[in-house]
Amino acid sequence: MSTALILLTIGLTLVAAGSWVALNIRGAAAALGRRAAANAELAMHARGDLGPPRRVASAGFYRFLGTVIALCGIVLTLGGLLESL
């Protein structure tokens, strides 16, 4: 299997997944934020702390991470295209 095909496959997958979260399609970033809050609450309950959970990551943070992942995917895709030439 050629390096170009591997780079194109990984790059396009990262672009699709990153843009899905970055653009908050079907509430993906909001759901990740709610999941992080629920996990933080469960961890606090496991430690015996019954106070309000502290906010670890918000939906905006996940949208930023999605943007970074999509941009890295674009770089890998362009690298795969240049490798195939």
Side-chain angles (χ1 to χ4, degrees):
M1 193 177 293
S2 70
T3 307
L5 185 62
I6 292 171
L7 286 175
L8 283 171
T9 303
I10 292 173
L12 290 175
T13 303
L14 288 177
V15 167
S19 62
W20 189 274
V21 175
L23 297 175
N24 201 18
I25 297 175
R26 297 185 67 182
L32 286 171
R34 287 190 307 267
R35 183 177 180 189
N39 284 339
E41 184 177 3
L42 286 174
M44 287 181 65
H45 287 304
R47 287 191 312 257
D49 186 7
L50 298 178
R54 62 183 178 94
R55 191 72 156 169
V56 177
S58 65
F61 176 72
Y62 285 113
R63 291 184 75 178
F64 172 74
L65 285 181
T67 303
V68 170
I69 289 172
L71 290 175
C72 290
I74 289 173
V75 169
L76 287 176
T77 302
L78 290 175
L81 289 173
L82 290 174
E83 182 75 25
S84 66
L85 293 179

